[in-house]
Amino acid sequence: MCGRFVQKTPLSQLQDEFGFLAEDLDYGPSYNVAPGREALAVLAGDVRRGMLPRWGLVPSWAADPNIGYKMINARAETLAQKPAFKNLIKQKRCVIPVDGFFEWHKDAPGGKQPYLFERTGGRNLALAGLWDAWRGPQGRALISFTIVTTKANELVGRIHERMPVILGEAALEKWLGPSALQPADLPGIVSPYPQGRMTSRPVSRRVNLAANDGPEILEPDSEQGSLF
């Protein structure tokens, strides 16, 4: 799964890297993005657009927007079968650019130990996502997204059996392209990201509280040492 991530790269740098338009976005760094919060997403299309949707997909047909808290992730293996996702694959795809994401080693001494997974070389990870627009009784639109997950590679699998779908360059162009994707296109896109292109390191247990947000949470506690 993917339950927290980091977005701290400046917007202008992300625009250069992912090639999207962003008008009047109130974007700022966040070191502990949690479900229910807004995050930067790049929406696919003829023209890529940057938006700040809420994390936790609320399908257009949903009766209650609180369903979003149950739909922060979407399993890649069943995207083509689930009603909430199968139609979004065609045109409502997005990428969530992140500096890294967290997973927790539950059996670590002293309690749950958060680990930060990053891309080797410090570049951003492009997480595959799906988005939708829901309108409430007053007609106000809520844009929201979910992060697609797949089987973990060996590095992430030391802690958790699932990981977000991280798009390589070729897969990124397909996912953010204007053409509709079909179920047959998915296997080559949603496979686990190579572990050799990733690193992991323990970070402060302050990450465990979603309200904590600042660069200090990415630093290890003085008594920590990597378990792997």
Side-chain angles (χ1 to χ4, degrees), residues 13-223:
Q13 184 176 332
L14 291 172
Q15 286 184 272
D16 290 340
E17 186 173 346
F18 292 94
F20 63 91
L21 299 178
E23 297 180 2
D24 302 321
L25 284 186
D26 186 20
Y27 167 82
S30 180
Y31 298 83
N32 196 9
V33 183
R37 296 183 185 173
E38 292 183 346
L40 178 67
V42 182
L43 277 56
D46 292 314
V47 177
R48 299 176 183 177
R49 295 177 294 146
M51 294 189 69
L52 293 172
R54 192 174 78 178
W55 186 10
L57 185 75
V58 181
S60 59
W61 43 262
D64 185 347
N66 287 326
I67 194 176
Y69 289 98
K70 299 179 180 180
M71 302 180 71
I72 66 169
N73 292 156
R75 294 177 68 92
E77 297 88 341
T78 56
L79 286 182
Q81 289 80 47
K82 297 289 186 179
F85 308 132
K86 64 181 182 180
N87 291 325
L88 304 183
I89 298 171
K90 297 178 181 179
Q91 300 291 349
K92 291 186 176 179
R93 303 181 303 277
C94 63
V95 160
I96 301 88
V98 306
D99 295 83
F101 65 92
F102 301 103
E103 282 297 347
W104 281 260
H105 189 279
K106 297 180 180 179
D107 299 324
K112 292 197 306 181
Q113 173 60 61
Y115 274 71
L116 177 65
F117 291 87
E118 301 169 290
R119 184 173 174 179
T120 302
R123 294 183 62 191
N124 280 273
L125 296 168
L127 307 189
L130 300 170
W131 68 275
D132 207 351
W134 178 86
R135 292 192 178 275
Q138 306 302 319
R140 183 179 178 182
L142 169 65
I143 310 298
S144 60
F145 71 93
T146 186
I147 293 174
V148 183
T149 66
T150 188
K151 180 181 178 181
N153 61 27
E154 185 176 345
L155 180 67
V156 181
R158 294 169 180 170
I159 294 180
H160 200 282
E161 63 181 9
R162 306 287 298 178
M163 66 180 290
V165 169
I166 300 169
L167 302 170
E169 292 183 8
L172 175 66
E173 293 305 312
K174 290 181 180 178
W175 195 258
L176 283 184
S179 301
L181 289 182
Q182 303 302 325
D185 300 319
L186 293 178
I189 295 176
V190 301
S191 57
Y193 197 69
Q195 64 169 4
R197 300 179 187 175
M198 298 177 64
T199 62
S200 68
R201 59 186 175 91
V203 293
S204 172
R205 284 186 169 92
R206 284 174 287 186
V207 172
N208 297 351
L209 183 62
N212 292 334
D213 193 346
E216 67 279 359
I217 69 175
L218 302 186
E219 298 299 327
D221 292 331
S222 58
E223 71 276 10

